[in-house]
Amino acid sequence: MKRVWLGIMLVLFGLGLAYAQSSLTIYSGRSQALVEPLVKAFQNESGIKVQVRYGRDAELLAALQEEGKRSPADLFWGNTSGALGQAAEYGLLLKLGSSLLSKPVGFVPASGTWTPLSVRFRVLAYRLDKVKTADLPDSVLDLPKLSQFKGRIGWTPSYSSFQDFISAMRLMYGEAKTKEWLLAMKALEPKAYTSNPSMIEAIRAGEIDVALTNHYYVLRFVKVGYPVGSHYFASGDVGSLALVTGAGILKTSKHITEATRFLLWLLSPKAQQFFPGEVFEYPVIKGAVLPPTLKPLEEALARSPKLDFEKLDLEGTLKLLREVGLL
Amino acid sequence: MVYRIANRKAPAALVATALGVGSLVLAPLAYLLLRALQAEPAQLGSILFRAQNLELFLNTLWLVAGVVVFTTLLALPLAWLTTRSNLRGKRLFTLLFALPVVVPGYVGAYALLASTGPGGLLEALTQVAWPRPSGYWGSLFALTLFTYPYLFLNLRTAFLGLDPSLEESARSLGVGGLEAFGKVVLPQLRPALYAGWLLVGLHALGDFGVVSLMRYPTFSYAVYLQYSASFDRIYAAWLALMLLSFTVGLLYLESRFLRGLSLSRVARGASRKQALIPLGAWRPWAYLFAAVVVMLSLVGPVLSILFWTRQFPFDSSFALLEGLYNSARASLPAALLATLLALPVAYLGVRYPGPFSRMVERTAYLGFATPPLAFALALIFFSLRGVPALYQTLALLVLAYALHFLAEAIGPVRAALYQTPPKLEEAARSLGSGALEAFLRASFPLIRRGVLASVALVFLSCLKELPLTFLLSPVGYNTLATRVWGYTSEAMFAEAAPFALLIVLLSGLFMGMLLAQDKS
Amino acid sequence: MTREPLAEKTLLEVQGLSKRYLADAPAVVNNLSFSISESEVFALLGPSGCGKTTLLRLIAGFERPDAGEVYVQGVPMGRLPPEKRSIGFVFQDYALFPHLSVWQNVAFGLRRLPSRERRQGALEVLNLVGLTVFQDRKPHQLSGGQQQRVALARAIAPGPKLVLLDEPFSSLDAGLRQATRDEVRALLKSRGIGAVLVTHDQEEALSFADRLGVMRAGSIEQTGTPEEVYGNPKTPFVAQFLGRTNLVAGEAKGRQVETPLGCLALSQEAYGPVLLSLRPEGIGLEAGTEAEILAREFKGHDLTLRVSFLGREYLVQESPTCPFYVGDRVRLVVRASAVVVGRGTPERVKADSRA
């Protein structure tokens, strides 16, 4: 019995070892649904073998830290600029070359340790048959004034994009004003969700009428006939904050050439076209064809307040959210 | 004459094996302590003395208590119906009652939410908008539906191993029907009840998928939030330790209940088959009850998944086979390994009860209660420092599954061992078999049912496991569960649906095979 | 300790065996010694809780002794595990393997043989107990007596020199018990297997064993042939446990003793205050006035009467034709010599007999 087991374990061990052999290893906080088609296309074109470990940003960052110098990862592909900034701060990322960083139209971090790959925007989702757009404010800062929505507002305090949004508010308006806004919102008794799809479901089911979310979630549900619309705040308003996804090369990488090649390829028109086409995200280079539900790239980019995305301080935001009892 | 089995020294080899298993499971705890001790005092104060902790604590307590009560209300009658009554189609019902365990909580709760309220699936089917579950009752409802099979399987095993003469002698003493059940059968079921309650309780305690969707803040929900938001291993370690201390409380309770329990068959002669109890006029009600449970816990979620494929366009090609192969290839060895590891631990606990064996057994439950993310990080930490070659291999994933789910394997094996008289092994030894051989030839055939239940439980848990799979599998290793998560988190339900269905099908197939083998 | 030379070859020797389960409780087996010779059938008789089952389990190796040693054919068993001792064991409730058929149960210990020989060997032994027709049944399909015989067959199949039997007949009904007992004894004798039987049934011990030992509180009080132990009990406990008896105090004067029943003959020389055992069959009744009959218990082949004399009760066994009934006045006639079972003052002697 024991001998058989030993044998089985050895075989599995061997299989596992075989798996570990690969030329480019990506840790992706972005989900497989988005990353896999791109990886396959790159593999076919370049002949470079790519292996991806999927997970949530936080899990992968924690894993990278535990692995330390022994990490097999070459690339970290983050779902939020917050996670990428954290990776840079932990000193996990290499400085990228200027030929790479000159490609995106914006959002390149000052540290130069990661490149933006796609952009999403914060919006206010609302139920089409219950809410008139005219009633919705131009600035997210005026949202607490909508007392008619008391108990019918949804938000996601634990979600990284929401936290990036609060970080931006702190950067633009200061700690005190952000806290004031959060407390005023709390007075409206908003419902907190942990996932955006379940929040959109809640709009459909009549649990809430409006919700602070990301633009692509609304579009994906609109596509299948949910009675939901997106309200864009005014240009430059923090409520229209751009959310950047991106990737950086890890210091532990043993395949820097291949990793650079992959990033360059992701910034190519062909790869960038994938983002608006498949997942309703905005590309970071000009020239991609956008579906009608997306706004033209220049207009979209102009909506977001201009700020240094690496200055978004997650730690402080988490502290504030805990202070007001939202986390 | 019943001789005592306590106060005897266990063989050294057995103790060493059990101790080895225990310390493997404890490794993550050591890791958490290591990380936790890196905290600064000021930070520590703000973690430990938050006003919300008390609210979270009470919420968690209520949820765990509620889930224990309601799963019992489901599982006890269902287990009785499928073992002791003359209900028809027992085999099929057993399968159907065991299956909800394969519905991942995050999928099941989402299905509930998506199918209720205006515009939900149920409205489309019935023309009436069904109320949306949320908060405490929503969490309780969903957790009860998707965890009661743990208790059901434990109780079923125990029912099948019951000594019928005990109930018969109660009846001959003038204690009939329900009273006999309460006075004689129920006490016999205690080990299975405790083991089941512990599992169900730990599931409720550790769940964050369901409670987060139902927006009911519990302790592990908070742990999960902090973990996923803060990227901070030290902070997370403290919260995980607080969660574990809650678990220690549960374990203490269970060990208090179990103390001094020895329920092996003491009747003379070999065991007889049990007679089935006719349902009589209750039969239609029994079927109705069974049907409602199956509808809510199984048909509902599966219909929801199918609905997604219809509602959302179905246009990608799927790596279904790859996912299937990978899921099975990791889960099956893990289930076998977990059961193999559980045997010495359970054996020690049943045959040599005492503080030591109790402690080893409890350890397994601590491993189960350790947040999986912390468990995974610990294994990364130790494997890279100890056996770097093991890192990123399937073997490590299998080991991680087995250690994490060891507690699930112990319950059924332990319950079965309680009902196997130690004298059989002594008889084997007086006939020239060594200790191990005596166990394998005399006791193992009798606890086979429990062993199969253990394998099944662990297999199903592995099949839907996420955090361990994400962090410990070889890079590029996609399982059905990781696919489901990958798609649902992007609201791509059509793409997720086939994988989710395949999880349910594969589990169903596996469960069916096990139950078919189990001729009662 | 010196070993007494034995005429025949010693099969089992138990020396100074002690076992206690809890540190603060009295020992269950207390510095106990005895031995049996080859193919001898030995019975350990004692009330429940006297440690006899524990003693058996110590010999089998299921329990470890705190002190003392067990020798089988002169070889010290030490810490040898049960499977290395070649000692058969028949459990009180048989402990048949419920998942195996009858022949598989019997073949269990024949595991070193090739499969065909295993079956052959099992059938041979089953034949001895007359159960070959049931070879393919499962244990639960057999009656108690049949299960008992399978258990015995299983224990002797591997060919042990020694078999330990833990109250093996206690769950059989009375009629079956006698027959089964005779069969088992015959089987053991025919195969030359030595046996230690544990029982609380004195009749069983007397009729089954070549020799027996009476156990009390972890020690053996007396060993000997059934006739010796019955006829010459050494202690009040043995006298009382092995059949009914009258314990009478007296003042011994050599071969004679003064008692309330008059001056009686003594079976051995003694002096001073003694406690005596008088078996009921050693007392008879004649017509008289000094005693009165309190109860009459007719048992077919004999008759037991309870008689009051000088404020004490005596048991008397008479032939069934005895003409006295309850209420009749009679006189007690002692026909056998009294046996000394205790010495010292009457108080001490009485306390002994009660303990």
Side-chain angles (χ1 to χ4, degrees):
Chain A
M1 186 100 177
K2 272 184 182 158
R3 213 166 293 156
V4 173
W5 263 105
L6 203 66
I8 291 175
M9 294 303 285
L10 279 176
V11 168
L12 293 177
F13 189 80
L15 282 173
L17 277 183
Y19 247 88
Q21 313 283 327
S22 86
S23 35
L24 188 60
T25 302
I26 300 171
Y27 278 21
S28 171
R30 303 228 61 192
S31 77
Q32 189 168 14
L34 306 170
V35 171
E36 193 168 54
L38 284 169
V39 164
K40 279 203 175 133
F42 173 70
Q43 245 177 198
N44 289 343
E45 270 182 42
S46 66
I48 296 172
K49 204 175 163 219
V50 185
Q51 298 281 1
V52 192
R53 164 180 299 274
Y54 297 97
R56 301 170 179 96
D57 279 350
E59 289 168 355
L60 293 171
L61 273 180
L64 280 170
Q65 284 174 274
E66 287 306 346
E67 288 171 354
K69 290 198 183 100
R70 296 186 183 87
S71 176
D74 298 307
L75 256 158
F76 175 56
W77 192 342
N79 203 28
T80 62
S81 52
L84 286 159
Q86 206 78 44
E89 200 189 307
Y90 291 151
L92 297 173
L93 301 177
L94 272 184
K95 204 163 158 44
L96 300 176
S98 57
S99 62
L100 214 155
L101 293 180
S102 63
K103 298 239 171 196
V105 290
F107 307 110
V108 174
S111 70
T113 51
W114 52 274
T115 172
L117 290 173
S118 69
V119 185
R120 303 91 69 87
F121 289 91
R122 295 293 292 174
V123 295
L124 186 69
Y126 64 96
R127 176 139 177 152
L128 288 174
D129 53 353
K130 289 217 181 134
V131 180
K132 286 191 216 83
T133 353
D135 296 342
L136 299 173
D138 280 343
S139 170
V140 73
L141 294 175
D142 293 329
L143 201 58
K145 289 179 187 152
L146 301 183
S147 52
Q148 70 266 36
F149 291 126
K150 190 167 183 184
R152 307 197 57 81
I153 303 177
W155 65 0
T156 53
S158 61
Y159 190 64
S160 54
S161 296
F162 179 87
Q163 289 163 358
D164 279 356
F165 155 68
I166 297 297
S167 300
M169 195 186 281
R170 286 172 54 232
L171 194 63
M172 290 166 70
Y173 302 101
E175 203 76 24
K177 191 144 188 216
T178 309
K179 187 171 176 182
E180 195 184 304
W181 183 84
L182 283 170
L183 290 174
M185 282 298 289
K186 250 190 109 176
L188 286 182
E189 293 165 15
K191 295 202 161 84
Y193 296 84
T194 39
S195 94
N196 285 282
S198 73
M199 187 160 71
I200 308 287
E201 282 283 359
I203 295 185
R204 186 269 302 156
E207 204 169 275
I208 48 172
D209 296 326
V210 294
L212 284 166
T213 182
N214 295 352
H215 79 278
Y216 52 95
Y217 286 113
V218 183
L219 295 182
R220 284 174 206 167
F221 279 91
V222 166
K223 191 172 149 196
V224 294
Y226 274 52
V228 202
S230 359
H231 171 70
Y232 291 82
F233 296 105
S235 284
D237 188 76
V238 66
S240 300
L241 181 74
L243 304 155
V244 182
T245 74
I249 299 175
L250 292 158
K251 284 187 176 158
T252 53
S253 173
K254 287 162 205 80
H255 309 97
I256 294 173
T257 324
E258 290 87 345
T260 313
R261 213 174 136 190
F262 182 59
L263 286 184
L264 276 171
W265 183 82
L266 283 178
L267 289 168
S268 70
K270 192 175 164 195
Q272 283 286 307
Q273 182 62 50
F274 173 81
F275 291 102
E278 297 291 321
V279 292
F280 303 115
E281 293 185 352
Y282 290 93
V284 292
I285 63 162
K286 287 185 184 139
V289 184
L290 304 190
T293 44
L294 291 184
K295 300 191 179 299
L297 185 60
E298 286 75 16
E299 191 196 324
L301 294 184
R303 281 184 178 274
S304 175
K306 300 284 165 288
L307 44 87
D308 185 348
F309 280 81
E310 272 198 328
K311 291 229 174 81
L312 294 181
D313 158 41
L314 183 65
E315 293 281 325
T317 298
L318 292 173
K319 199 165 155 259
L320 181 61
L321 288 174
R322 276 174 205 140
E323 213 176 289
V324 296
L326 286 174
L327 268 188
Chain B
M1 182 171 151
V2 189
Y3 71 94
R4 26 179 356 142
I5 52 178
N7 310 313
R8 282 195 299 144
K9 268 197 198 141
L14 180 64
V15 172
T17 315
L19 212 55
V21 174
S23 48
L24 273 177
V25 178
L26 270 193
L29 194 65
Y31 164 83
L32 282 176
L33 285 172
L34 192 83
R35 285 280 170 256
L37 288 177
Q38 295 173 337
E40 293 155 20
Q43 188 196 14
L44 190 57
S46 70
I47 301 168
L48 289 177
F49 303 111
R50 270 158 50 105
Q52 276 152 304
N53 283 352
L54 184 66
E55 187 205 334
L56 292 173
F57 178 81
L58 289 177
N59 278 355
T60 310
L61 201 63
W62 278 119
L63 186 66
V64 170
V67 170
V68 162
V69 169
F70 279 84
T71 48
T72 311
L73 290 180
L74 284 191
L76 193 59
L78 292 179
W80 185 85
L81 281 174
T82 52
T83 53
R84 305 294 311 277
S85 82
N86 65 346
L87 191 83
R88 252 170 250 142
K90 281 203 203 65
R91 200 67 69 72
L92 179 69
F93 273 120
T94 303
L95 178 63
L96 291 178
F97 295 149
L99 269 185
V101 87
V102 309
V103 179
Y106 49 93
V107 173
Y110 195 90
L112 269 178
L113 287 175
S115 54
T116 49
L121 168 65
L122 282 171
E123 195 195 44
L125 290 175
T126 62
Q127 307 302 321
V128 183
W130 287 51
R132 262 168 87 78
S134 72
Y136 175 72
W137 291 104
S139 310
L140 184 57
F141 185 65
L143 280 173
T144 299
L145 283 183
F146 304 123
T147 58
Y148 85 86
Y150 289 108
L151 191 56
F152 169 75
L153 285 174
N154 265 309
L155 285 176
R156 189 186 121 78
T157 310
F159 266 121
L160 289 175
L162 273 187
D163 185 348
S165 57
L166 291 173
E167 202 180 346
E168 285 160 11
S169 55
R171 298 197 139 192
S172 73
L173 293 168
V175 181
L178 263 185
E179 201 187 346
F181 186 85
K183 283 191 173 162
V184 177
V185 179
L186 216 50
Q188 287 280 308
L189 295 177
R190 280 190 309 187
L193 267 180
Y194 296 154
W197 282 344
L198 195 59
L199 271 190
V200 166
L202 288 179
H203 267 274
L205 195 64
D207 171 82
F208 54 81
V210 171
V211 291
S212 70
L213 284 171
M214 295 290 170
R215 298 186 299 105
Y216 180 71
T218 65
F219 210 79
S220 57
Y221 173 55
V223 171
Y224 166 71
L225 286 192
Q226 305 293 353
Y227 234 132
S228 63
S230 67
F231 310 115
D232 184 342
R233 293 168 297 164
I234 299 167
Y235 194 24
W238 271 105
L239 289 163
L241 284 176
M242 283 162 79
L243 184 66
L244 279 176
S245 61
F246 200 110
T247 311
V248 170
L250 271 189
L251 291 174
Y252 175 73
L253 271 182
E254 201 238 2
S255 73
R256 283 300 299 257
F257 284 140
L258 262 183
R259 192 161 295 170
L261 213 60
S262 163
L263 296 174
S264 40
R265 188 190 299 279
V266 291
R268 308 227 154 147
S271 70
R272 281 174 300 112
K273 291 273 158 62
Q274 310 181 52
L276 296 180
I277 295 160
L279 285 170
W282 291 93
R283 182 182 291 275
W285 295 105
Y287 283 115
L288 184 69
F289 179 55
V292 168
V293 173
V294 172
M295 284 297 294
L296 285 176
S297 59
L298 199 61
V299 179
V302 171
L303 268 186
S304 278
I305 297 173
L306 288 172
F307 185 62
W308 292 339
T309 56
R310 207 179 59 100
Q311 191 186 20
F312 290 79
F314 192 85
D315 57 358
S316 317
S317 65
F318 310 110
L320 275 175
L321 271 181
E322 182 211 32
L324 179 71
Y325 176 57
N326 282 342
S327 281
R329 181 158 79 105
S331 302
L332 197 58
L336 293 171
L337 180 62
T339 309
L340 192 71
L341 294 179
L343 280 173
V345 177
Y347 189 85
L348 189 73
V350 172
R351 291 282 195 261
Y352 304 95
F356 171 75
S357 59
R358 246 199 315 275
M359 200 184 67
V360 173
E361 217 178 57
R362 304 294 141 211
T363 308
Y365 288 91
L366 277 187
F368 184 63
T370 308
L373 192 56
F375 207 93
L377 291 176
L379 281 178
I380 294 177
F381 178 86
F382 285 115
S383 68
L384 279 176
R385 274 159 190 78
V387 209
L390 202 63
Y391 186 55
Q392 303 264 359
T393 63
L394 187 58
L396 187 65
L397 182 65
V398 167
L399 186 69
Y401 280 164
L403 293 178
H404 186 56
F405 293 119
L406 181 63
E408 291 192 336
I410 289 181
V413 171
R414 182 176 64 177
L417 271 176
Y418 266 123
Q419 294 180 327
T420 309
K423 268 187 188 171
L424 292 181
E425 273 170 58
E426 288 173 357
R429 296 196 69 179
S430 75
L431 293 168
S433 301
L436 186 63
E437 192 194 334
F439 169 75
L440 290 176
R441 291 181 67 195
S443 289
F444 191 80
L446 299 177
I447 61 165
R448 208 195 57 216
R449 223 179 252 137
V451 168
L452 287 181
S454 293
V455 171
L457 280 181
V458 178
F459 179 79
L460 300 180
S461 292
C462 294
L463 215 51
K464 55 184 184 176
E465 206 287 331
L466 273 179
L468 291 176
T469 319
F470 275 140
L471 291 189
L472 293 176
S473 62
V475 179
Y477 189 88
N478 301 309
T479 67
L480 296 175
T482 63
R483 291 279 184 180
V484 170
W485 184 81
Y487 288 119
T488 47
S489 66
E490 295 298 325
M492 297 166 82
F493 299 112
E495 287 82 351
F499 292 99
L501 278 181
L502 202 57
I503 291 185
V504 175
L505 277 178
L506 179 61
S507 314
L509 202 70
F510 190 75
M511 198 77 110
M513 266 163 28
L514 284 183
L515 292 172
Q517 224 193 333
D518 161 28
K519 293 204 184 75
S520 46
Chain C
M1 182 185 267
T2 54
R3 285 190 224 172
E4 289 172 37
L6 287 159
E8 290 163 88
K9 262 180 103 180
T10 308
L11 173 61
L12 169 73
E13 184 172 0
V14 170
Q15 257 191 24
L17 218 50
S18 288
K19 174 77 181 174
R20 81 176 64 226
Y21 284 116
L22 298 169
D24 48 355
V28 183
V29 172
N30 191 6
N31 192 21
L32 190 149
S33 306
F34 73 94
S35 62
I36 72 170
S37 49
E38 272 178 4
S39 68
E40 185 181 23
V41 174
F42 185 80
L44 277 164
L45 178 67
S48 55
C50 72
K52 54 192 191 300
T53 294
T54 301
L55 173 59
L56 218 54
R57 295 173 56 77
L58 286 168
I59 298 171
F62 298 144
E63 309 270 354
R64 293 258 167 81
D66 298 332
E69 185 57 282
V70 173
Y71 299 86
V72 175
Q73 295 184 307
V75 182
M77 292 289 109
R79 319 200 98 206
L80 213 57
E83 63 270 21
K84 299 261 157 63
R85 297 191 177 196
S86 303
I87 299 177
F89 202 106
V90 177
F91 290 85
Q92 186 176 7
D93 47 9
Y94 317 138
L96 295 179
F97 303 118
H99 57 291
L100 300 179
S101 69
V102 165
W103 83 262
Q104 284 169 327
N105 259 287
V106 177
F108 194 96
L110 304 173
R111 62 213 174 91
R112 291 213 176 72
L113 298 179
S115 61
R116 194 192 296 162
E117 286 174 46
R118 286 182 64 209
R119 178 150 197 160
Q120 206 49 50
L123 290 184
E124 270 169 35
V125 184
L126 267 180
N127 192 30
L128 289 178
V129 295
L131 284 176
T132 8
V133 286
F134 297 128
Q135 52 172 297
D136 289 320
R137 290 213 187 165
K138 286 285 172 71
H140 64 86
Q141 295 168 311
L142 301 182
S143 72
Q146 289 163 340
Q147 289 188 19
Q148 208 283 336
R149 282 186 279 167
V150 175
L152 180 73
R154 183 179 71 177
I156 63 173
K161 281 270 157 240
L162 174 64
V163 171
L164 308 176
L165 306 131
D166 185 6
E167 308 235 10
F169 310 115
S170 61
S171 45
L172 302 178
D173 54 65
L176 198 56
R177 200 179 300 169
Q178 180 64 50
T180 313
R181 205 191 282 156
D182 295 345
E183 272 176 42
V184 169
R185 189 181 151 84
L187 186 61
L188 292 172
K189 285 290 170 197
S190 72
R191 304 208 112 199
I193 300 171
V196 178
L197 169 94
V198 147
T199 182
H200 63 270
D201 179 339
Q202 46 111 352
E203 190 195 329
E204 185 168 300
L206 290 173
S207 64
F208 189 77
D210 299 327
R211 259 185 338 125
L212 60 86
V214 180
M215 259 188 96
R216 177 191 183 200
S219 310
I220 292 184
E221 294 226 332
Q222 188 175 357
T223 55
T225 63
E227 292 80 3
E228 274 166 17
V229 180
Y230 185 84
N232 263 314
K234 293 275 196 315
T235 69
F237 173 80
V238 173
Q240 281 183 308
F241 197 76
L242 226 64
R244 301 204 248 189
T245 196
N246 297 293
L247 292 178
V248 182
E251 184 74 23
K253 292 168 181 160
R255 298 289 298 197
Q256 292 209 317
V257 61
E258 271 316 317
T259 73
L261 292 171
C263 187
L264 309 178
L266 264 183
S267 60
Q268 77 240 61
E269 208 173 76
Y271 294 93
V274 288
L275 190 69
L276 306 164
S277 163
L278 278 170
R279 293 283 179 201
E281 60 267 31
I283 309 179
L285 295 179
E286 283 173 7
T289 51
E290 55 204 52
E292 184 189 345
I293 295 183
L294 297 176
R296 188 175 193 270
E297 199 183 316
F298 178 63
K299 287 189 197 153
H301 50 82
D302 57 32
L303 178 68
T304 307
L305 299 128
R306 206 139 54 77
V307 181
S308 166
F309 174 61
L310 292 180
R312 261 207 60 175
E313 287 178 17
Y314 294 88
L315 286 174
V316 175
Q317 192 171 314
E318 266 286 0
S319 69
T321 54
C322 171
F324 302 109
Y325 291 88
V326 174
D328 290 353
R329 307 294 297 187
V330 291
R331 196 168 73 83
L332 294 167
V333 183
V334 179
R335 294 174 188 145
S337 29
V339 179
V340 177
V341 294
R343 287 165 206 272
T345 63
E347 286 72 29
R348 227 211 90 206
V349 159
K350 266 186 197 146
D352 259 11
S353 69
R354 230 177 276 126

